[in-house]
Amino acid sequence: MSSHRLAVSLAIALISTFAFSAGSALAQTTVTSERPASFTLDNGLQVVVIPDHRTPVVTQMIWYKVGSADETPGKSGLAHFLEHLMFKGTAKHPAGEFSQTVLRIGGNENAFTSLDYTGYFQRVPREQLAKMMEFEADRMTGLILKDENVLPERDVVLEEFNMRVANNPDARLTEQIMAALYLNHPYGRPVIGWRQEIEKLDREDALAFYKRFYAPNNAILVIAGDVDTKEVRAMVEKAYGGIPAQPAIPARRIRPQEPVPAAPRTVTLSDPRVEQTSLRRYYLVPSSTTAAAGEGPALDVLAQLMGGGSNSYLYRALVIDRQLATSAGAGYQGTALDPSQFSISVSPKPGVEFSQIEQAIDGVIAEVIQNPARAEDLERVKTQLIAEAIYAQDNQATLARWYGGALTTGLSIDDIRSWPDRIRAVTAEQVRDAAQKWLDKKRSVTGYLIKDTTAKREEKRS
């Protein structure tokens, strides 16, 4: 495995974690003094330019509106597999040339795959932007794949599966919870895929997926940095303007949807490597894209009230007051094209039963539903959410990621920019209503991670 691909693999793990555990504050919010420019080429490529003149650096990030939830059934892991293969070179630029060029000019690059999108980015000195565009535009249509580099890369993905999932009990629990939460929707498939299906992916699968989804009318190009919009437009037209659209790509992605949840589900995963037992509960809730007006921000505020830090209701109840747990938190993943998740996670103290933890969680939820949040609590968590978003704007790549993640999952630039105002407008009644409507046990899967001690007992007997 090359050092580049190892870096990409590790970053996928980090970005996947970010994408599915961070609250919407980080996933969708930004307030820049200058509104990003946006335009669309004749071939359908949407371009967003985010000015940031603090340093002479620019980030090019191209987002394809295709993720693991868009894969053909039976071909799980294909979106992520293709992301690996996009570094294998084209007729114009053989394998390694793009990455070596980025390194030589002092830049950095990476790639990531999620449920709803796949992205590639480079952060380079501003005078190198046109060259980066030429490389990225070339691999939108010019990818060349041969069995001699496809099959070894499949082995790399399988090794990544071993590292990130098979040898990670916590990740395996998340995988099983998601599979139980989504009975019908493809969000129940892991981004990296199921092992027995990854093993069968081949060159033809990858090329067919590439030709089907990688096209300008299925992409968003985000340029963040020390750039002038007019200059960027001319560069984009030159690099990407000649690429033909793919007319077979539908304007909207239609996926199988979940039936109305009828019963709570539980998952228990036991593993000899578990050192800390944990309980995790996921609720099926609307994403920012599918929520009714005001519901997304209310879920953001609810998650922060219940599980955002040491002043949160769950932490106070389980860790401080009753001393049942060493940690407790909650999160809402708003950035998704289809219904998403509200999660609660708790690490019990040794000897504490899961039933005690669940009783305490249910008590906190009941309290939120029965008694509207106090004004000072509401003000505190709103301030936290908005401040977190404002402080995080110091990272140029994060700015590009906010916009790309939101736009590829159905939100608009106005939605992104107005997020703090919508957080400020959330009322205690809206928070209570969100808890009552969406934190219904019937909408949940509760996962238990426990230590498997049977192996040790068997060893002793033998």
Side-chain angles (χ1 to χ4, degrees), residues 380-397:
R380 171 175 50 82
V381 300
K382 288 184 192 182
T383 303
Q384 287 169 348
L385 287 171
I386 294 165
E388 194 177 6
I390 291 168
Y391 297 151
Q393 289 179 78
D394 277 344
N395 188 312
Q396 187 184 98

Side-chain angles (χ1 to χ4, degrees), residues 19 63-67 112-119 253 405 408-409:
W63 299 70
Y64 290 98
K65 290 185 269 189
V66 58
F112 48 90
T113 305
S114 185
L115 293 166
D116 292 312
Y117 49 74
T118 310
R253 287 183 272 181
T408 50
T409 54

Side-chain angles (χ1 to χ4, degrees), residues 196-275:
Q196 74 273 18
E197 293 183 353
I198 300 170
E199 288 172 342
K200 293 176 184 170
L201 296 176
D202 59 23
R203 175 180 169 276
E204 287 71 29
D205 292 328
L207 279 175
F209 197 76
Y210 172 69
K211 289 172 182 173
R212 181 179 170 194
F213 290 112
Y214 278 50
N217 55 316
N218 202 39
I220 297 174
L221 178 66
V222 181
I223 305 294
D226 190 18
V227 290
D228 172 79
T229 302
K230 270 189 187 174
E231 288 177 349
V232 167
R233 184 161 196 153
M235 279 190 247
V236 172
E237 288 278 8
K238 182 180 178 185
Y240 293 94
I243 302 172
Q246 165 56 275
I249 294 172
R252 287 184 63 238
R253 287 183 272 181
I254 307 296
R255 295 152 168 174
Q257 296 297 306
E258 283 300 293
V260 176
R265 285 153 247 162
T266 60
V267 170
T268 303
L269 183 74
S270 61
D271 191 296
R273 294 165 294 190
V274 171
E275 296 302 325

Side-chain angles (χ1 to χ4, degrees), residues 357-384:
I357 299 292
E358 290 192 78
Q359 187 181 34
I361 292 171
D362 293 341
V364 169
I365 294 170
E367 178 70 20
V368 171
I369 292 169
Q370 287 159 18
N371 300 303
R374 294 181 304 166
E376 57 265 37
D377 286 344
L378 207 57
E379 191 58 34
R380 171 175 50 82
V381 300
K382 288 184 192 182
T383 303
Q384 287 169 348

Side-chain angles (χ1 to χ4, degrees), residues 134-177:
E134 192 272 316
F135 272 115
E136 198 64 88
D138 175 50
R139 73 171 169 184
M140 185 181 281
T141 57
L143 184 66
I144 290 177
L145 296 180
K146 297 173 182 173
D147 279 341
E148 55 260 40
N149 53 32
V150 169
L151 299 180
E153 198 63 36
R154 187 176 66 191
D155 292 336
V156 170
V157 173
L158 286 166
E159 186 50 44
E160 186 182 335
F161 175 89
N162 288 337
M163 179 178 74
R164 285 176 49 197
V165 183
N167 295 319
N168 184 336
D170 196 65
R172 287 180 64 213
L173 180 66
T174 301
E175 171 198 86
Q176 294 299 307
I177 291 173

Side-chain angles (χ1 to χ4, degrees), residues 51-181:
D52 176 13
H53 301 296
R54 291 171 296 181
T55 55
V57 173
V58 63
T59 297
Q60 169 178 244
M61 196 174 276
I62 189 150
W63 299 70
Y64 290 98
K65 290 185 269 189
V66 58
S68 61
D70 303 297
E71 294 160 347
T72 306
K75 305 280 184 187
S76 66
L78 187 50
H80 173 241
F81 184 41
L82 177 59
E83 179 237 301
H84 275 241
L85 295 172
M86 285 291 283
F87 292 86
K88 295 304 176 186
T90 66
K92 282 176 78 172
H93 300 291
E97 185 185 341
F98 192 173
S99 298
Q100 286 159 13
T101 303
V102 173
L103 270 176
R104 192 170 61 249
I105 61 177
N108 59 62
E109 62 165 349
N110 235 312
F112 48 90
T113 305
S114 185
L115 293 166
D116 292 312
Y117 49 74
T118 310
Y120 305 84
F121 72 89
Q122 307 84 38
R123 189 164 188 256
V124 296
R126 66 182 172 193
E127 63 272 14
Q128 300 292 337
L129 178 59
K131 185 187 287 286
M132 294 301 103
M133 285 191 187
E134 192 272 316
F135 272 115
E136 198 64 88
D138 175 50
R139 73 171 169 184
M140 185 181 281
T141 57
L143 184 66
I144 290 177
L145 296 180
K146 297 173 182 173
D147 279 341
E148 55 260 40
N149 53 32
V150 169
L151 299 180
E153 198 63 36
R154 187 176 66 191
D155 292 336
V156 170
V157 173
L158 286 166
E159 186 50 44
E160 186 182 335
F161 175 89
N162 288 337
M163 179 178 74
R164 285 176 49 197
V165 183
N167 295 319
N168 184 336
D170 196 65
R172 287 180 64 213
L173 180 66
T174 301
E175 171 198 86
Q176 294 299 307
I177 291 173
M178 287 289 283
L181 187 67

